[in-house]
Amino acid sequence: MTERETTRLVAWSRELRRVHHQLREALRVTRASLADGTPGEAATRDLLLYCHGFCAALDGHHQGEDRTLFPAIARAHPELRPVLRALEQDHSMIAHLLTGLRAAVDRAAPPEELDQHLEGVAAIMENHFRYEERQLLAVLETLELAAEPGEVLGPL
């Protein structure tokens, strides 16, 4: 195996950490925008942009994992199928929470309600990311997967 091939194999664990970091930061920026409470049309437009951007990024990340990454892991490590099923269930729960957040943003819900939605998403998302990293990072360091990071981990 060449050094370049080894670098690509190990890169999947770094890519997952990088994507999780970016999603955490997107959530932080979204919550900071809400907490700022700047009144007016510009603040509403910014909040809509942050919320929809964050929701799209998180959805895309989970869809890429479900479609490409998890099947590759299941083929290489069938013993991890129960872990992958649990992570997919988390994806479904997070998608449900994001649907509620999108609906609240679209109807211009009060900041307190939006913060409740974001708090719920944050709690489940952080728990999910930590579990995923504990269970999969070592596997990702050896996973042979010929695909683009955006296809596997979502376009950010």
Side-chain angles (χ1 to χ4, degrees):
M1 182 175 302
T2 68
E3 182 181 339
R4 180 180 160 95
E5 288 170 326
T6 302
T7 300
R8 181 64 253 169
L9 293 174
V10 174
W12 286 112
S13 62
R14 285 194 308 256
E15 287 290 330
L16 183 67
R17 283 189 193 134
R18 183 186 62 78
V19 168
H20 284 178
H21 173 76
Q22 288 180 305
L23 289 166
R24 285 175 174 119
E25 182 61 14
L27 180 60
R28 187 197 64 73
V29 167
T30 301
R31 294 190 83 188
S33 172
L34 180 62
D36 181 32
T38 307
E41 188 177 317
T44 302
R45 210 173 29 250
D46 286 348
L47 182 58
L48 283 168
L49 176 67
Y50 291 140
C51 284
H52 283 292
F54 167 72
C55 291
L58 189 55
D59 268 346
H61 172 62
H62 289 158
Q63 288 172 19
E65 285 181 334
D66 292 345
R67 180 181 55 247
T68 307
L69 183 63
F70 290 176
I73 292 171
R75 284 190 299 277
H77 298 277
E79 73 280 6
L80 289 175
R81 285 190 173 127
V83 169
L84 298 172
R85 274 193 299 276
L87 291 168
E88 288 170 342
Q89 288 173 338
D90 284 354
H91 290 174
S92 179
M93 182 185 320
I94 291 169
H96 175 73
L97 293 172
L98 291 177
T99 298
L101 172 60
R102 282 186 189 106
V105 169
D106 289 344
R107 65 179 166 72
E112 300 79 24
E113 182 181 338
L114 293 173
D115 190 54
Q116 287 175 347
H117 284 282
L118 289 168
E119 180 64 30
V121 170
I124 300 298
M125 184 184 88
E126 188 57 37
N127 186 55
H128 171 80
F129 285 176
R130 286 181 182 173
Y131 179 70
E132 187 171 60
E133 290 169 2
R134 273 194 321 273
Q135 297 296 319
L136 300 184
L137 284 181
V139 168
L140 290 176
E141 290 179 1
T142 61
L143 184 67
E144 294 187 39
L145 181 60
E148 290 299 315
E151 174 189 331
V152 176
L153 299 173
L156 292 178

